Amino acid sequence: MTLQEGKTLPAEIEGLALAVTEEHYRVQPDLMERYGQAGFNKSKRDTAYTLHYLAESVQMDSPSLFVHYIGWLKQLLAGYGLTEADIRLKLELILGRVEAGERDESTDRTIRILEMGIARTAEPAEVPSFLAEDRPLGRESVEYLDALLSGDRAGAYALVDLLFERGESVRDIYAYIFQASQYEVGRLWQTQQISVADEHYCTAVTQSAMSRLYTAWIGSGHKSNSKVLVSACVGGEMHEIGLRMLTDVFEMEGWDTHYLGASVDEDELMNLILRRRADIVALSATMTFHVHLMKKLIVNLRADERSANVLILVGGLPFNVDPSLWTRIGADGYAPDAGGALLEAERMMRGRASRRRRDEGQPAVEGGHELGS
Ligand code: B12
């Protein structure tokens, strides 16, 4: 049994999820009486989901990805009446299967990561609110979210207009109003305090509020600095607002930006990188199980001589959970947020310029890789 990337991984995960769920139902026979076949199927699906996180954590040699997921799961499942003992039992059943199965070079790592996940179940998992009056624009962020949650789109727009007119920077409105309220929306959804529909509504209003703001700032003396950014979300990644914010921040600083949004096809991305002569490609992933796709994409970009020299900046939730993850997927840089991304991009561009000066007259073999710098 291996949780390493390869053609057989999805089948391995499905097979293991079935075996673990069957064993779970054997250990607790009342589960079938209480939840029936539908409950069994759901449990198997959830187990497969957990195994995808485990597999990504193993492949990336990043225990914190799995440990963070277990904390998230614990808080999520508490809302459904499941306890830490339920999660621990499932993880122990997975551990038993891994220990009893065929061994390969990833087995010890898998066991170690599972044991860390099991230990995590015993710790508190409550995430505090992302909004507080003593944070920058704290009171306004609470007001903004209140407007969203009461269905008052016009009120939310009016508040944003007021902030813009009184001179708050767009970057601050993005970070302290939009990003903070989106994180809080996620926490409220996870703890079942709001519905999926509420989350969709809040997200939709925030997206339109960003668009309204764009028309205000784009008109105000926008100067080009001739640098080109292409940005995209990899694989089936649907979370695109963070990358859009980042792209806007680059545009505010004069970058020529090309934002492709969610779930971008690799060939289309490649075409655009070449057509726009991108200096930097910004790649975003929120769901941990998309990180290996990002790694594969980076390998492919490097392997093609037409895109081998483009600088690659990465970010999103898994990279914030494990701030050294970017070094293991072959990227040139990472930043935790939109403002940090701009500084990181400037560092990457300076690095490339100085390497070019140094290599003048020599064959161009560099690709801007200064991992860990
Ligand atoms: C809105 C939302 C959605 C929307 C997204 C719509 C859209 N158009 O983007 C929809 C409904 C599609 C969605 C779906 C899902 N979601 Co969702 N979603 C959210 C939510 C509430 C807000 C996301 C957001 O807008 N954040 C605000 C932006 C500004 O922040 P950000 O993404 O972190 O971006 C910043 C930094 O990370 C960084 N950054 C981001 N990208 C990059 C790239 C580079 C290059 C750099 C340098 C930096 C960088 O800079 C950004 C700006 O500062 C989050 C909560 C959260 N904490 O984010 C959950 C959340 C991410 N979702 C979650 C989940 C579970 C899901 C689903 C699995 C739910 C389901 N059962 O279907 C699916 C998965 C879909 C998929 N395959 O991608 C979980 C993930 C938990 C985990 N452990 O992984 C979260 C955390 C909610 C929660 N608290 O439980 N979701």
Side-chain angles (χ1 to χ4, degrees), residues 99-289:
E99 284 173 335
E102 239 173 73
R103 296 187 72 83
D104 68 11
E105 57 86 19
S106 69
T107 307
D108 285 342
R109 189 158 72 246
T110 309
I111 291 171
R112 183 170 52 90
I113 291 174
L114 270 167
E115 285 171 347
M116 289 169 81
I118 291 168
R120 177 68 182 88
T121 61
E123 289 161 28
E126 289 70 34
V127 178
S129 171
F130 289 95
L131 306 183
E133 302 236 336
D134 59 355
R135 294 196 184 158
L137 298 181
R139 192 172 44 78
E140 292 85 348
S141 67
V142 172
E143 267 175 46
Y144 178 77
L145 186 59
D146 282 349
L148 297 188
L149 293 176
S150 54
D152 181 10
R153 176 158 65 129
Y157 288 167
L159 176 64
V160 173
D161 290 346
L162 187 82
L163 294 175
F164 186 67
E165 279 155 20
R166 84 174 191 210
E168 299 294 344
S169 73
V170 176
R171 273 165 76 163
D172 282 354
I173 297 175
Y174 273 21
Y176 303 127
I177 302 291
F178 297 151
Q179 177 168 314
S181 63
Q182 282 296 92
Y183 283 179
E184 184 61 5
V185 163
R187 191 187 72 85
L188 295 174
W189 166 79
Q190 188 189 350
T191 51
Q192 300 189 6
Q193 297 179 63
I194 64 171
S195 69
V196 171
D198 292 327
E199 173 275 304
H200 285 10
Y201 176 82
C202 296
T203 299
V205 174
T206 289
Q207 284 174 306
S208 60
M210 284 172 70
S211 299
R212 289 177 78 254
L213 210 45
Y214 180 82
T215 51
W217 64 257
I218 197 66
S220 54
H222 184 68
K223 282 210 187 75
S224 168
N225 66 13
S226 309
K227 294 178 209 156
V228 180
L229 177 84
V230 167
S231 56
C233 296
V234 296
E237 186 60 64
M238 302 296 290
H239 300 92
E240 41 87 23
I241 296 176
L243 188 68
R244 182 173 162 192
M245 274 189 192
L246 177 154
T247 309
D248 284 357
V249 165
F250 276 61
E251 193 162 325
M252 284 171 219
E253 293 301 313
W255 286 66
D256 179 10
T257 69
H258 304 276
Y259 166 70
L260 308 192
S263 230
V264 175
D265 174 84
E266 187 171 322
D267 292 338
E268 293 297 329
L269 175 61
M270 171 66 112
N271 286 339
L272 200 83
I273 290 171
L274 298 176
R275 208 146 38 90
R276 301 295 180 207
R277 299 169 159 272
D279 291 297
I280 293 192
V281 179
L283 300 175
S284 180
T286 296
M287 302 312 293
T288 290
F289 44 77

